[in-house]
Amino acid sequence: MALEIKDTLLAQVRSTGIKPSRVLEVGGVAGPKSLLTGPETASADKFVLNIAEVKTQPGVTNVLANANDMPFADASFDLVMSVSTLEHDKHFWLSLAEMKRVLRPG
């Protein structure tokens, strides 16, 4: 199921024709389920934010932090993605507000 969601999400990114230069996966994991492993993000600076230590992926910066209070500047990412994370977040609305805050307009 998670891989189907990943494929659908990355197809939507592909359909925009935009090549993001800086991407963030909130609650990401290393390996084939990572949203950062597709050609859509191949040339981007990649970040994974997680509340717990996660396995490191080559070319990805792991950030140990709470999604309710992200340590990033406003409008600092071209693409912010998350799958199978918000249902585990007691204060998911704060994480959504943070995702919107760090996403560049447009």
Side-chain angles (χ1 to χ4, degrees):
M1 177 109 167
L3 290 176
E4 291 173 12
I5 294 169
K6 172 189 169 182
D7 292 342
T8 300
L9 181 59
L10 292 178
Q12 290 174 343
V13 172
R14 243 187 334 274
S15 73
T16 68
I18 298 169
K19 294 287 186 192
S21 63
R22 190 172 157 133
V23 297
L24 170 65
E25 182 177 0
V26 177
V29 296
K33 292 184 180 179
S34 173
L35 298 172
L36 302 175
T37 58
E40 300 79 10
T41 62
S43 62
D45 292 330
K46 301 175 203 67
F47 295 81
V48 167
L49 182 134
N50 209 308
I51 198 164
E53 286 287 334
V54 294
K55 183 179 173 186
T56 303
Q57 302 183 91
V60 176
T61 301
N62 286 338
V63 178
L64 185 61
N66 191 318
N68 298 167
D69 186 24
M70 294 186 196
F72 304 115
D74 294 355
S76 54
F77 291 95
D78 299 312
L79 178 62
V80 178
M81 302 181 286
S82 184
V83 166
S84 301
T85 300
L86 294 175
E87 68 270 25
H88 304 287
D89 188 344
K90 189 186 285 189
H91 304 288
F92 66 89
W93 59 91
L94 297 174
S95 293
L96 288 170
E98 281 291 278
M99 289 180 210
K100 181 179 178 183
R101 179 185 67 78
V102 302
L103 184 62
R104 288 188 183 120

